[in-house]
């Protein structure tokens, strides 16, 4: 087995951590249970100890101990991951970043901020509010910045402001053997040396432990939102593609399928037409939004859309996006006891309509409640199944349907995950997506930076001999 | 010496290449001289042989031969580099990409294109014109796409469309031992696996040889340009920062110092006010440009700027940017026999005014003609010295001044190179910029991917024992 962890001295490591960190190194069952899972459907697996460092130097000490005793070390942020990235499948140390919660340096004139990895994005934006700037990447959950770096998060704003990769200027990273590496700079661009920053973005704690992050900020835009329903899902998707092709700058554009619109209408008073629907956000001053919105209304109409329904004020705009944020929670609540299983693929824009329609046909043919939402401006969509976790047959069916969605995306040159990360669920697709040579190169990098395989073992890279779904 | 090349069998490698590639493997002095230099001030150094592969598979064959005989292999694109990245300082094989010139797949609906590495950016944009899309990254020179990937190029458009890093979706790369790796996908975003694509962007052929590139395209914008002069350099720079902070979307904004404006006025008929000057480009429909331009005119006036002088039509807009492109050539021609030595730093926005002003004071105190131009929206500026290559004292003085510019940038958290790359000239600053641990990690990656050190040896990474400028 290629990802073997030589678990030499677990007891010694625990003793060393407890001795060093006292009541910030906990082995009780309840705290270990809290660190045994994230928000995904993947099975829980307890760490042997949970440690709460409060500085980069303390993280380095933990790595030194983990390295000496060859014990796994798994970073844990907000626990909001959707692919099991923070689940300690091989036990060991759960490194909880919640005490790495300092906002270190707000530099409004440079439009950048430096934070510790455990800072949550909503708290960051609260602290930034007086500057007129914000950090735009919004995966929905109130994730930690370190977790967002590690999964390569994005979300509704990415079509306008880019994904994590484009908004991280630099990192502080602790290596497997406890050294402290600083990557990037405070400059907005650089051609200097290998791009270590981007190597760590999306690496899910398997190459190093992110402890500090320098982020780009953006001016808070004047935003106005609007809603349009469409006769068909295909019409909604192709309207978005035409808007992209026309070079029109949109803040957000989110697809919700008819089923999710029905959920919203049962829980809320937005009173939407019972149709596949796009939520739009436009940025700019009134003149430029007016100019933009006329063109967009014409494109929407061309594709069978209803007239744009505009938010009349900031409160209505907030309500539209709050509805988008919580709607899947309402959908889940409609099936008591259900777990949510979100898929997450991204395809070339020209394949998006087919990919969404084929997914829609799949879920219609199944009995399992499921909803399609999409950051369609990027070609990224989710099909979220609300399934009974105790019904093995139903779980197998969701697995089968989720695999079909991924395989269809890969068949057209897309990716197995647009923004949730590989974690446990997408490891089996790595070779199909990237090819054997690229995966071999990833493995070479992993071995070079973590020769003992103690950094979040069992994530991202497929086990060489594993058949599909043996993970 | 850490970057030792075990040049085992140069004669055998040459024989094998000539036998395999015939008249596409040349050892004549004239072709070797053509591949001994780029456009930088760095001393020429001849390769032992120049090979012209016409496919990825042929590049893999060359790498296999180079690896077997432990001979350096140095990719050569358009030869327009400014830091010596393509100079074969250890001899060996110059791998000329000019026959890798196919545009493989234009996908207008996906807004992407796949090209071979030797395609030049101007030819690419000619081929794209009918689609209404273009590839925006514009370093000035008609560089090859592979070269632009390798240096992490950017240029005037980056403030609006991003740098290479953000516009490369995937690569085909040949490894040191001749394997073919495909990175990335056709999706516009992904969280799947380690970001091999970004690892190769900016790696200057030291980790692998880029043979194919998938690029993001953008709709050709409606563009209008304008010019404003400023009483002071500081005023021009702070106007740009205020525009950024206000969240106003600008297509380009370029700074030219008073000396370069004087050159333009001697060579051309733009008839500029003899002041530090900004060239602007705005994108959008007439209504949104009008709305934007009023705000910008107010900011410009606040900082001692003249009223914006608008291009009256597309021809005038083209002329403004063509002037920007060629002005430094005119400046060079004003000093017969001079070589141009462009510096290239990027600093946090709040440090930009000081960095430019201190540089300006330096060049005023020197006798060497020099000009400051800047992609100031990104904090990136160049001071270009026009110096006598045969005057050792003058060369030493340029070296000293260029070092000061870099060291000042590093002192405020900036970078030694915003877009030209490390090549030969910025190796000595790698440790000062990134720290010893980050450079050690870069070296670990280099050794993992090129254990024989045959890929463009002597670039990017500093020699461990080298004093400043021993390169």
């Amino acid at each position: 087995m290629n990802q073997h962890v030589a678990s030499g001295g677990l007891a010694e490591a625990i003793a060393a951590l407890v001795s060093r960190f006292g009541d910030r190194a906990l082995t009780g069952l309840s705290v270990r249970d809290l660190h045994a899972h994230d928000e995904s459907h993947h099975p829980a697996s307890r760490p042997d100890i949970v440690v709460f460092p409060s500085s980069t130097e303390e993280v380095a000490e933990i790595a030194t101990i983990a390295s000496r005793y060859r014990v796994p070390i798994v970073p844990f942020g907000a626990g909001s991951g959707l692919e099991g990235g923070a689940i300690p499948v091989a036990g060991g140390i759960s490194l909880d970043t919640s005490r790495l919660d300092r906002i270190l340096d707000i530099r409004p004139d440079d439009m950048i901020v430096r934070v510790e990895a455990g800072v949550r994005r909503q708290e960051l934006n609260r602290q930034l509010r007086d500057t007129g700037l914000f950090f735009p990447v919004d995966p929905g959950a109130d994730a930690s910045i370190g977790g967002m770096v590690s999964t390569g998060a994005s979300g509704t704003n990415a079509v306008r402001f880019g994904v994590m990769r484009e908004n991280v200027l630099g990192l502080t990273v602790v290596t497997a053997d406890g050294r402290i590496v600083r990557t990037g700079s405070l400059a907005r661009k650089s051609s200097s040396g290998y791009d270590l920053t981007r190597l760590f973005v999306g690496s899910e704690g398997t190459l190093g432990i992110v402890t500090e992050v320098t982020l780009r900020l953006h001016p808070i835009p004047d935003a106005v939102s609007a809603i349009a329903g469409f006769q068909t899902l295909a019409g909604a998707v192709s309207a978005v593609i035409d808007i992209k092709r026309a070079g029109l700058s949109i803040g957000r554009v989110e697809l919700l399928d008819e089923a999710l619109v029905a959920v919203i209408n049962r829980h809320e008073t937005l009173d939407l037409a019972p149709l596949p629907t796009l939520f739009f956000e436009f940025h700019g001053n009134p003149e430029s939004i007016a100019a933009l919105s006329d063109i967009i209304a014409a494109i929407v109409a061309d594709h069978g859309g209803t007239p744009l329904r505009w938010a009349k004020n900031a409160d209505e705009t907030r309500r539209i996006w709050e509805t988008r944020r919580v709607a899947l929670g309402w959908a889940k609540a409609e099936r008591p006891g259900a777990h949510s299983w979100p898929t997450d693929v991204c395809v070339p824009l020209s394949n998006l309509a087919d990919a969404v329609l084929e997914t829609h046909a799949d879920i219609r043919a199944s009995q399992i409640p499921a909803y399609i939402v999409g950051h369609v401006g990027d070609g990224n969509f989710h099909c979220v199944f609300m399934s009974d976790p105790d019904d093995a047959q139903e779980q197998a069916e969701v697995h089968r349907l989720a695999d079909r969605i991924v395989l269809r995306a890969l068949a057209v040159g897309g990716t197995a995950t647009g923004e949730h990360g590989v974690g446990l669920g997408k490891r089996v697709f790595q070779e199909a997506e990237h090819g054997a040579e690229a995966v071999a190169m990833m493995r070479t990098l992993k071995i070079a930076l973590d020769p003992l395989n103690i950094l979040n073992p069992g994530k991202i890279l497929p086990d060489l001999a594993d058949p599909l779904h043996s993970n």
Side-chain angles (χ1 to χ4, degrees), chain A residues 106-117:
Chain A
I106 301 178
R107 301 171 63 125
D109 288 339
D110 297 320
M111 299 168 68
I112 62 183
V113 68
R114 198 160 57 87
V115 301
E116 289 186 323

Side-chain angles (χ1 to χ4, degrees), chain A residues 6-333:
Chain A
S7 50
L10 179 60
E12 293 91 331
I14 290 175
L17 291 165
V18 170
S19 155
R20 167 64 183 84
F21 291 97
D23 62 0
R24 291 188 289 128
L26 303 176
T27 55
L29 205 56
S30 65
V31 71
R32 286 163 56 209
D33 276 346
L34 283 171
H35 292 77
H37 62 87
D38 58 9
E39 292 183 8
S40 72
H41 63 278
H42 296 293
S45 172
R46 283 192 200 105
D48 295 293
I49 186 169
V50 183
V51 189
F52 297 81
S54 61
S55 70
T56 294
E57 290 67 27
E58 287 190 355
V59 173
E61 285 185 66
I62 295 168
T64 303
I65 292 169
S67 171
R68 182 181 314 140
Y69 296 110
R70 302 196 174 199
V71 170
I73 181 167
V74 183
F76 188 96
S80 57
L82 296 172
E83 276 300 355
I87 299 177
V89 288
I93 303 160
S94 179
L95 190 153
D96 186 303
T97 62
S98 58
R99 294 194 181 207
L100 294 167
D101 61 352
R102 277 165 294 213
I103 295 175
L104 299 166
D105 193 10
I106 301 178
R107 301 171 63 125
D109 288 339
D110 297 320
M111 299 168 68
I112 62 183
V113 68
R114 198 160 57 87
V115 301
E116 289 186 323
V119 168
R120 304 289 192 92
R121 66 172 187 87
Q122 290 180 353
E123 176 62 17
L124 173 60
N125 279 326
R126 270 191 292 274
Q127 297 293 327
L128 290 171
R129 198 164 293 162
D130 289 346
T131 66
L133 303 170
F134 80 130
F135 178 65
V137 183
D138 175 1
D142 188 18
S144 70
I145 299 298
M148 292 170 67
V149 169
S150 295
T151 54
S154 48
T156 58
N157 275 318
V159 66
R160 172 75 180 82
F161 296 105
V163 301
M164 284 304 280
R165 186 159 285 145
E166 288 139 18
N167 284 286
V168 176
L169 282 177
L171 299 171
T172 301
V173 178
V174 171
T175 65
D177 55 357
R179 283 172 297 143
I180 297 169
V181 175
R182 294 198 164 78
T183 77
S185 75
L186 301 179
R188 295 181 80 75
K189 68 183 205 187
S190 173
S191 290
S192 187
Y194 301 148
D195 190 349
L196 299 179
T197 305
R198 250 57 57 172
L199 183 60
F200 287 107
V201 173
S203 71
E204 303 183 13
T206 64
L207 300 178
I209 303 156
V210 172
T211 61
E212 294 177 11
V213 186
T214 304
L215 296 167
R216 279 183 188 233
L217 302 175
H218 300 262
I220 298 173
D222 291 326
V224 183
S225 291
I227 294 175
F230 289 78
Q231 294 309 315
T232 62
L233 265 176
V237 170
S238 32
V240 173
I241 292 171
D242 276 10
I243 289 165
K244 291 282 287 187
R245 283 288 311 265
L248 302 169
S249 175
I250 294 206
R252 314 193 223 192
V253 55
E254 292 287 307
L255 173 71
L256 298 82
D257 72 356
E258 200 173 329
L260 193 59
V261 168
V263 170
I264 291 170
N265 281 338
R266 284 194 287 278
H267 285 73
E268 235 254 16
T269 55
L270 275 184
D271 194 24
L272 302 172
L275 296 171
T277 296
L278 292 178
F279 286 6
F280 290 97
E281 184 172 279
F282 306 97
H283 296 167
N285 52 44
E287 294 87 346
S288 59
I289 289 179
L292 186 66
S293 63
D294 287 349
I295 309 172
I296 287 174
I299 294 175
V300 165
D302 275 354
H303 291 280
T306 61
L308 290 173
R309 189 178 121 192
W310 289 88
K312 293 188 190 65
N313 51 45
D315 266 357
E316 283 194 23
T317 280
R318 258 195 298 279
R319 190 152 136 252
I320 287 173
W321 293 105
E322 182 61 14
T323 298
R324 164 68 184 83
R325 201 177 68 78
V326 301
L328 284 164
W330 291 335
K332 186 177 161 196

